[in-house]
Amino acid sequence: MNLDKIVIVLDHPDECRNIGAACRAMANNGISHLRIVGNKADYDREKIHVLAIHAAYIYDSADFFESIYDATKDCAIAAGTTRRRGKKRKGKLYLPEEFAESADLISGGKDGESKNSKGNGESVANDGALVAVVFGNERTGLTDEQLSECTVGVTIPSCDDFASLNLSHAVQIMCYHLFRKKNEHIAGYTPLSLERIDKTVEHIADSLQKIGFFSVTGRSDMERFWRGLLSRSALSESEAKYIEKIFSKAAGLAKKNSHSWIEGAQI
């Protein structure tokens, strides 16, 4: 994903505050190209800056157009966001994460390299093309006519009882999915597998063995106890390593204290 190729298009937004909040949402996700369909004179720059805070530069460098067609004609794809479905509303609507997959390919992929390859398997340099994400007016969203100026439709699932999203919230969700596609390498919290937990359990049992915790039997029961406990705890890798360090240190201290006691008894 090349975020420099992502263009956010706001079609005749009503609220200056929403424009400012949308700018902040864009900045949160490393996206800075804003286009607005409407008359610049209709908007209060100061009110926009209040909500944009440190992302005010996005509005200050925004371009203004007379139509969605004009705002997206240099883009390879224009995705209109909508919660309404129908024959005149693109038929199939992509989910944000599905659209992010397409945007990744079109924008040039990570670090400007195409995911396609030559016959010899080498990467192909790809500058990528612009990708537009279009948002309608806060009150009406995109009309059938406006959506027809887009090439695909994207929908953000929400509760049927209150399905309409605030403009800036919708911008945040779409931008976040694009940002996450670019940054797939950023790992979240992943609980350890039982195979990895077994290594920690073995480490614990070995440490207890060293300090004479087990007389003749008992190790197997202790290992089953720790395996069940640690699996239910959904440990992370760092937590498992910390537990292993504790038991290693405990075994080391026990051994050191044992030697000190023996030496003292011999004196």
Side-chain angles (χ1 to χ4, degrees):
M1 179 72 68
N2 184 351
L3 296 178
D4 287 337
K5 296 293 184 179
I6 303 301
V7 176
I8 299 301
V9 180
L10 306 183
D11 185 276
H12 292 96
D14 276 339
E15 280 283 344
C16 292
R17 293 173 297 180
N18 278 334
I19 298 175
C23 290
R24 187 173 182 181
M26 291 170 62
N28 285 155
N29 295 286
I31 296 171
S32 58
H33 299 304
L34 175 64
R35 297 179 181 181
I36 296 176
V37 179
N39 187 350
K40 187 174 184 178
D42 292 339
Y43 301 105
D44 187 324
R45 180 172 176 269
E46 296 306 315
K47 289 182 179 179
I48 292 171
H49 277 208
V50 169
L51 267 293
I53 308 179
H54 299 300
Y57 67 91
I58 292 179
Y59 175 74
D60 291 341
S61 61
D63 295 310
F64 286 78
F65 298 85
E66 294 185 358
S67 68
I68 293 174
Y69 178 84
D70 290 335
T72 61
K73 63 183 180 182
D74 61 341
C75 300
I77 188 172
T81 56
T82 178
R83 67 179 177 83
R84 300 192 301 276
R85 298 176 182 271
K87 291 183 179 180
K88 295 183 179 181
R89 301 192 68 78
K90 300 302 179 188
K92 176 185 176 181
L93 299 177
Y94 289 95
L95 294 174
E97 57 270 29
E98 293 173 335
F99 174 70
E101 292 284 345
S102 297
D104 185 29
L105 293 172
I106 295 169
S107 69
K110 295 181 179 66
D111 302 321
E113 288 189 352
S114 171
K115 291 192 175 181
N116 297 320
S117 61
K118 298 178 182 177
N120 58 10
E122 294 179 359
S123 296
V124 179
N126 181 6
D127 292 334
L130 293 176
V131 174
V133 187
V134 185
F135 299 84
N137 174 272
E138 296 93 322
R139 291 179 294 101
T140 61
L142 292 175
T143 64
D144 289 352
E145 183 180 355
Q146 290 168 334
L147 191 60
S148 70
E149 296 183 65
C150 302
T151 56
V152 297
V154 181
T155 189
I156 301 171
S158 56
C159 178
D160 290 338
D161 294 335
F162 197 70
S164 181
L165 294 174
N166 175 273
L167 173 60
S168 65
H169 294 176
V171 172
Q172 177 71 266
I173 291 170
M174 290 301 300
C175 288
Y176 175 74
H177 278 282
L178 296 167
F179 175 82
R180 283 296 294 136
K181 184 61 186 176
K182 174 180 174 58
N183 295 281
E184 289 178 313
H185 62 282
I186 300 177
Y189 169 71
T190 303
L192 297 180
S193 66
L194 287 173
E195 182 180 20
R196 174 61 183 88
I197 288 175
D198 285 339
K199 294 179 180 179
T200 298
V201 170
E202 183 179 9
H203 188 94
I204 292 172
D206 286 345
S207 298
L208 293 175
Q209 188 85 50
K210 289 176 183 178
I211 63 177
F213 188 87
F214 308 112
S215 52
V216 179
T217 60
R219 174 164 177 153
S220 296
D221 289 339
M222 182 64 70
E223 287 179 335
R224 281 193 290 271
F225 167 79
W226 280 106
R227 191 174 195 261
L229 179 64
L230 297 181
S231 67
R232 292 194 300 274
S233 300
L235 289 180
S236 67
E237 178 65 28
S238 60
E239 290 170 331
K241 288 181 177 179
Y242 189 66
I243 291 173
E244 291 169 3
K245 187 182 293 185
I246 290 173
F247 277 89
S248 291
K249 187 170 184 178
L253 289 173
K255 184 177 180 180
K256 180 179 179 181
N257 291 336
S258 176
H259 286 166
S260 298
W261 183 85
I262 293 173
E263 291 173 0
Q266 290 175 342
I267 294 173

